[in-house]
Amino acid sequence: LLNSRTDSDWEWYGKNDPYYGVVSWDQFRSDQLDEQGRAAFFQAGEAYVRDLTEQIRRLVVGEFCPGRVLDHGCGVGRITIPLARLYPEVVGADISPSMLGHARENCRAMGIGNAEFVDAGEVLRGRLGQFDFIHSYIVFQHIPVGRGYEITQALLGLLAAGGVGALHFTYRRSAGRHLRSRLLPAVYRRVPYAYRLRRLLKREPVMQMNEYDLNQILTWLHDIGCGGVNLRFTDHGVRGAILVFRKQNPASKNEEKP
Ligand SMILES: C[S@@+](CC[C@H](N)C(=O)[O-])C[C@H]1O[C@@H](n2cnc3c(N)ncnc32)[C@H](O)[C@@H]1O
């Protein structure tokens, strides 16, 4: 699970442009980020968690109140911090040590004491045990698909019986939108040295945008006994979906009617 070219790309962003690495708008570039920009960045995370919690409580589990929470691909803590304000024990996991360092610093600055930030590999190997809520947003899209599937399966294994997952996957490039972002990856794959040349000129890594097969993911959710999946679409140049589901509690398995 641990070797892939994208890991060093993310450490580059963690070191050089962490907030832009998380939300790629110019106002979050390291050389432009001011107090107002930082506030807007974290407010977006608060609003996202508010909406997601409301969605889970309305449509998936009315009494949703997880004890142990995992935010996979936590970045600088934009979503982990609001999660830690709501739930007792939160783990933020990321592949980039520098992102994890920023997340710890942000928690210190905001007086958050119940969030821990750890290397994603440690979590996937099960060193931190199971979780009652596993969340990941705008992360899988940047991970090569084969590896993303391995991580998905590992995360499903870490979800406690009766636990809730909210995992975001991109599944289709939006027709006509961001032509550049659709064509460039194909050029980099096919034209020798095009990627190296781009790195030399721009001096920053290309963020991969990958498409996942939702059929595959739905099959795994079915296999772990989810009775259903609540799906919310996203579209930021690539179409995606946040899949919200509850892993079956074996104790309630026999209650299902044919
Ligand atoms: C676009 S940012 C999103 C951060 C956060 N989820 C948010 O919405 O604020 C993607 C994050 O995923 C992390 N990441 C990339 N590949 C990863 C992997 N294989 N395992 C864990 N984290 C990864 C990156 O380092 C980066 O912090």
Side-chain angles (χ1 to χ4, degrees), residues 82-158:
L83 286 172
R85 290 201 169 107
L86 288 176
Y87 307 118
E89 195 185 335
V90 177
V91 173
D94 206 282
I95 211 70
S96 155
S98 295
M99 287 284 189
L100 292 168
H102 287 292
R104 285 185 199 108
E105 191 45 49
N106 285 327
C107 276
R108 252 193 306 277
M110 294 184 204
I112 302 289
N114 59 331
E116 180 185 2
F117 292 93
V118 295
D119 171 61
E122 292 292 296
V123 174
L124 295 178
R125 281 190 285 269
R127 301 255 164 89
L128 284 98
Q130 291 208 307
F131 298 89
D132 306 306
F133 178 42
I134 297 187
H135 168 269
S136 184
Y137 183 56
I138 55 173
V139 176
F140 281 103
Q141 62 193 37
H142 299 305
I143 301 177
V145 172
R147 186 177 184 220
Y149 287 148
E150 287 176 25
I151 294 172
T152 305
Q153 286 181 291
L155 290 179
L156 295 179
L158 293 174

Side-chain angles (χ1 to χ4, degrees), residues 15-35:
K15 267 198 181 125
N16 297 288
D17 220 346
Y19 292 79
Y20 180 83
V22 171
V23 179
S24 302
W25 296 356
D26 282 341
Q27 69 180 113
F28 301 134
R29 285 275 190 199
S30 287
D31 56 1
Q32 292 180 42
L33 191 66
D34 54 17
E35 274 317 301

